[in-house]
């Protein structure tokens, strides 16, 4: 009998929950073992996998770095980092305590290999270690948690040392063991460099071994877009140019560049966020239904979206840079490692067109920025107005619009905004919001977004990772704007105050077609806005 309880906290008519199985045995080699990404995200994510029983039973963690450490010192430094997350509400890796049994399960089998990433000798030492008989069965995941200039050289050296060999038998049956490599972002800095990086890594490894990671795809609510669209029959008939007026994607952050000034001066908001994180959100909304949920089917449908996206014309892009804010908040040009006359953007808004039957004529407006008024990642789908409203003195064009809001973070959920009659003797309309919040229905699981992705690599599932053609196409889409911004210095920087909603020019981008951004600061949670 299905369980039918009509209240939040209990899912309706749910079949029994599918239990995830732990992956088979493997070793994980982290290049950049002493770095920030390893400490802040990878190790906490592995810890969470151990907590939920999803770490392989036979697992070895191997650190590679220049730092003068050994396995014990490395373990201690990671433990200290985990301790620092205890009870820190603001930390993405927040935990209530470090459970020592779980910690032992994660770090019981550890090695540390010190060396220079450009030195062949390092990879020989690594090979000797990996080739020793062990209960991880020779399966090995290489995680490149290093600066992007090392991606090509490290993959090349792993290849040269013969560490990508899987020994497939002649019939193409499962290999003796698997070898996989995870490559972080930024994957290239434009189309040409992404193509060249792909070419160089594909000389050493095969596409099925390469996992180009985008951590936005590890966020539950991003994956949920596929469930919303393809597990419900009611959305598909209205999910197209006939009923949708336009789509807005907002990824607003309240943090500034913090200690990453040097990185940001070379990168800027466009490269940092748009062709990767934000286009992944866009693809989830815009893709055609895949024939199945295997990696080939899903990635091919997403790739179709990227190919159909028109190269953005510089006139359809706006850049901004934050200036000082209230209470002594420094402007971007006052941040550490930033030039006092920097022309780098910390905010970007673009209008994107998708040239296919589903989306022709439906603009996608995207904006992302640092030091904005509120931290929010949201996809807002605006529907076309009712064709006619038979109410006295009602101007259809003036009715508040219907919105479907996919709230990615921090208040994960889905909301629908529509018109109702206000109580009272006259027909008077008001916009209200019907909201589903994840937190009301499901207990929170320990998750910082990397767990699913690391688990998928161990399981050999590439669905949530980028294929070579996908990264190349996304860089193509932003190429003309990147070129223009490199040549043309921006005018009037800084052009938005820290803690505001971004530069006024971004409003003009929508105003040209009589549209407007939804306010970033949605104080009226649960109450509708225009
Ligand atoms: C990173 C960017 O990839 O994503 C950062 O380099 C950005 O600049 C971050 O702040 C946003 O990720 P999240 O998970 O904090 O929303």
């Amino acid at each position: 009998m299905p369980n039918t309880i009509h209240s939040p906290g209990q899912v309706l008519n749910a079949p029994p929950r599918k239990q995830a199985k732990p992956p088979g045995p493997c070793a994980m080699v982290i290049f950049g073992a002493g770095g920030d990404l390893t400490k802040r995200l990878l190790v906490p994510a592995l810890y969470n996998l151990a907590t939920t029983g999803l770490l392989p039973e036979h697992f070895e963690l191997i650190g590679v770095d220049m730092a003068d450490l050994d396995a014990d010192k490395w373990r201690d430094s990671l433990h200290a980092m985990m301790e620092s997350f205890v009870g820190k509400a603001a930390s993405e890796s927040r935990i209530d305590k470090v459970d020592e049994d779980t910690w032992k399960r994660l770090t019981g089998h550890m090695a540390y290999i010190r060396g220079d990433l450009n030195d062949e000798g390092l990879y020989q030492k690594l090979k000797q270690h990996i080739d020793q008989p062990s209960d991880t069965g020779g399966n090995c995941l290489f995680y490149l948690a290093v600066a992007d200039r090392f991606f090509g050289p490290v993959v090349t050296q792993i290849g040269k040392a013969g560490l990508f060999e899987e020994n497939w038998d002649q019939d193409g049956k499962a290999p003796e063991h698997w070898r996989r490599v995870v490559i972080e972002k930024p994957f290239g800095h434009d189309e040409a460099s992404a193509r060249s990086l792909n070419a160089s890594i594909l000389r050493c490894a095969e596409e099925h071994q390469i996992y180009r990671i985008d951590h936005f795809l590890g966020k539950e609510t991003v994956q949920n877009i596929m469930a919303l669209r393809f597990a419900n029959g009611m959305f598909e008939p209205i999910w197209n140019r006939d009923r949708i007026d336009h789509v807005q994607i907002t990824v607003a952050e309240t943090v500034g560049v913090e200690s990453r000034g040097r990185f940001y001066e070379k990168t800027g908001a466009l490269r940092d966020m748009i062709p990767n994180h934000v286009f992944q959100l866009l693809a989830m909304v815009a893709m055609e239904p895949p024939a199945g949920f295997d990696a080939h089917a899903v990635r091919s449908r997403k790739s179709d979206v990227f190919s159909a996206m028109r190269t953005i014309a510089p006139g359809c892009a706006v850049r901004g840079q934050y200036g000082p804010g209230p209470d002594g908040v420094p402007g971007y040009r006052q941040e550490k490692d930033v030039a006092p006359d920097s022309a780098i953007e910390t905010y970007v808004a673009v209008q994107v067109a998708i040239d296919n039957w589903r989306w022709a004529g439906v603009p996608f407006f995207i904006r992302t920025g640092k030091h904005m008024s509120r931290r929010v990642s949201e996809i807002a789908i605006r529907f076309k107005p009712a064709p006619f409203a038979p109410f006295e003195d009602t101007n259809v064009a003036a009715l508040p619009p219907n919105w479907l809001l996919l709230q990615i973070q921090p208040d994960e959920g889905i909301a629908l905004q529509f018109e109702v009659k206000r109580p009272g003797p006259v027909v008077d309309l008001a916009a209200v919001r019907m909201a589903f919040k994840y937190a009301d229905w499901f207990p929170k699981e320990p998750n910082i977004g990397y767990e699913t992705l690391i688990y998928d690599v161990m399981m050999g599932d590439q669905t949530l990772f980028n294929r070579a053609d996908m990264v190349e196409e996304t860089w193509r889409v932003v190429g003309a704007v990147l070129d223009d911004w490199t040549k043309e210095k921006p005018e009037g920087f800084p052009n938005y105050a820290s803690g505001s909603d971004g530069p006024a020019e971004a409003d003009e981008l929508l105003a040209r077609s009589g549209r407007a951004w939804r306010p970033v600061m949605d104080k009226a949670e649960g109450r509708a806005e225009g």
Side-chain angles (χ1 to χ4, degrees):
M1 266 279 286
N3 174 17
T4 309
I5 300 175
H6 298 274
S7 74
Q10 305 277 339
V11 284
L12 316 177
N13 289 332
R17 191 183 172 158
K18 279 196 206 156
Q19 286 303 332
K21 286 199 261 336
C26 75
M28 175 164 170
V29 181
I30 305 183
F31 292 90
D36 211 40
L37 178 69
T38 303
K39 289 181 174 170
R40 272 192 324 109
L41 297 166
L42 300 185
V43 170
L46 288 168
Y47 175 86
N48 286 343
L49 283 177
T51 306
T52 48
L54 292 180
L55 201 66
E57 190 190 340
H58 299 292
F59 178 70
E60 181 179 13
L61 192 56
I62 305 170
V64 176
D65 209 305
M66 277 290 275
D68 184 12
L69 296 172
D70 56 24
D72 288 338
K73 286 189 194 146
W74 185 42
R75 182 189 294 109
D76 291 348
S77 76
L78 297 176
H79 192 274
M81 191 73 184
M82 290 297 292
E83 286 286 0
S84 76
F85 297 137
V86 173
K88 289 262 168 61
S91 161
E92 55 222 317
S93 317
R94 199 194 88 87
I95 43 173
D96 294 330
K97 65 169 191 151
V98 183
D99 179 81
E100 293 304 325
D101 288 340
T102 308
W103 184 248
K104 275 200 200 111
R105 204 172 322 133
L106 170 62
T107 60
H109 197 181
M110 261 177 119
Y112 182 84
I113 300 176
R114 187 181 170 206
D116 179 338
L117 295 178
N118 292 313
D119 172 22
E120 269 190 48
L122 169 69
Y123 300 84
Q124 287 310 322
K125 278 195 246 167
L126 186 58
K127 185 169 164 53
Q128 270 171 20
H129 185 89
I130 292 174
D131 283 352
Q132 287 166 19
S134 88
D135 54 12
T136 54
N139 298 321
C140 195
L141 181 176
F142 302 103
Y143 201 112
L144 271 54
V146 291
D148 58 326
R149 66 179 186 283
F150 290 114
F151 294 165
V154 172
V155 172
T156 305
Q157 294 280 11
I158 298 174
K160 263 193 182 166
L163 284 167
F164 280 128
E165 279 160 28
E166 293 186 319
N167 301 335
W168 288 76
D169 75 9
Q170 291 208 318
D171 309 331
K173 286 214 199 89
E176 249 172 47
H177 55 239
W178 54 257
R179 297 290 161 86
R180 296 171 190 150
V181 60
V182 180
I183 303 179
E184 270 287 338
K185 84 176 246 288
F187 195 96
H189 50 88
D190 57 15
E191 188 184 347
S193 56
R195 282 187 188 280
S196 132
L197 182 55
N198 272 331
S200 98
I201 62 179
L202 283 163
R203 274 194 286 276
C204 314
E206 295 193 30
E207 186 62 44
H208 77 267
Q209 298 179 294
I210 303 168
Y211 289 71
R212 298 173 193 80
I213 199 166
D214 185 313
H215 80 274
F216 262 48
L217 289 176
K219 295 183 193 286
E220 283 290 347
T221 33
V222 176
Q223 294 175 51
N224 185 47
I225 299 171
M226 284 212 278
L228 177 83
R229 289 191 55 199
F230 305 131
N232 297 295
M234 65 185 170
F235 295 112
E236 181 54 23
I238 55 169
W239 209 265
N240 57 47
R241 63 193 305 273
D242 295 333
R243 294 307 332 140
I244 293 178
D245 176 75
H246 74 276
V247 178
Q248 294 186 13
I249 304 182
T250 301
V251 179
E253 299 184 278
T254 47
V255 290
V257 293
E258 301 183 305
S259 57
R260 298 163 78 220
R262 195 163 303 158
F263 161 80
Y264 216 75
E265 280 285 272
K266 285 190 293 161
T267 312
L270 177 55
R271 283 194 170 92
D272 190 33
M273 299 295 288
I274 301 285
N276 29 64
H277 302 326
V278 184
F279 282 1
Q280 289 297 334
L281 300 182
L282 180 147
M284 288 289 196
V285 173
M287 68 194 276
E288 294 299 317
F293 278 95
D294 57 285
H296 176 74
V298 171
R299 298 199 300 177
S300 299
R301 296 295 72 82
K302 285 167 77 176
S303 176
D304 290 346
V305 173
F306 298 139
S307 307
M309 284 166 76
R310 209 179 292 167
T311 301
I312 302 168
C316 289
V318 170
R319 55 184 151 167
Q321 187 190 76
Y322 62 82
D327 304 326
V329 175
Y332 177 67
R333 289 176 176 182
Q334 287 81 52
E335 302 274 16
K336 190 167 166 280
D337 297 323
V338 169
D341 60 347
S342 174
I344 288 298
E345 79 286 355
T346 58
Y347 174 99
V348 46
V350 290
Q351 176 175 346
V352 177
I354 305 178
D355 289 329
N356 64 18
W357 275 47
R358 186 184 288 270
W359 298 114
V362 180
F364 282 65
F365 296 102
I366 290 170
R367 62 183 159 166
T368 180
K370 302 248 180 232
H371 262 322
M372 296 185 66
S373 58
R374 176 177 173 237
R375 175 174 178 249
V376 60
S377 297
E378 177 186 88
I379 301 168
I381 298 167
R382 182 175 165 157
F383 291 91
K384 291 189 171 165
F388 167 74
F391 311 110
E392 221 172 283
D393 300 331
T394 303
N395 172 3
V396 177
L399 281 176
N402 298 142
W403 289 98
L404 177 64
L405 308 174
L406 311 181
Q407 294 151 330
I408 309 297
Q409 62 187 21
D411 300 315
E412 292 89 350
I414 298 171
L416 188 64
Q417 182 171 309
F418 49 86
E419 301 306 298
V420 295
K421 178 189 165 298
R422 268 181 218 275
V426 290
V427 177
D428 185 17
L429 302 175
V432 294
R433 202 178 284 180
M434 193 158 76
F436 150 73
K437 282 186 190 300
Y438 257 88
D440 290 342
W441 287 83
F442 302 102
K444 195 148 178 60
E445 303 221 332
N447 193 315
I448 53 173
Y450 273 78
E451 294 82 354
T452 317
L453 298 171
I454 296 174
Y455 175 79
D456 283 355
V457 182
M458 292 175 176
M459 297 297 283
D461 182 351
Q462 290 183 301
T463 311
L464 296 176
F465 296 83
N466 271 317
R467 227 167 41 191
D469 56 320
M470 295 161 81
V471 283
E472 291 169 8
E473 277 298 307
T474 51
W475 280 118
R476 191 263 307 152
V477 176
V478 296
V481 178
L482 285 174
D483 288 348
D484 185 68
W485 288 3
T486 312
K487 278 190 238 122
E488 298 291 326
K489 290 279 161 262
E491 280 169 24
F493 267 17
N495 60 355
Y496 71 99
S498 215
S500 71
D501 280 5
E505 293 88 325
D507 298 340
E508 287 156 26
L509 194 64
L510 276 76
R512 286 181 213 159
S513 59
R515 298 176 171 105
W517 293 110
R518 291 171 44 72
V520 175
M521 182 58 85
D522 182 0
K523 284 191 190 137
E525 255 298 292
R527 198 141 50 80
E529 301 182 41

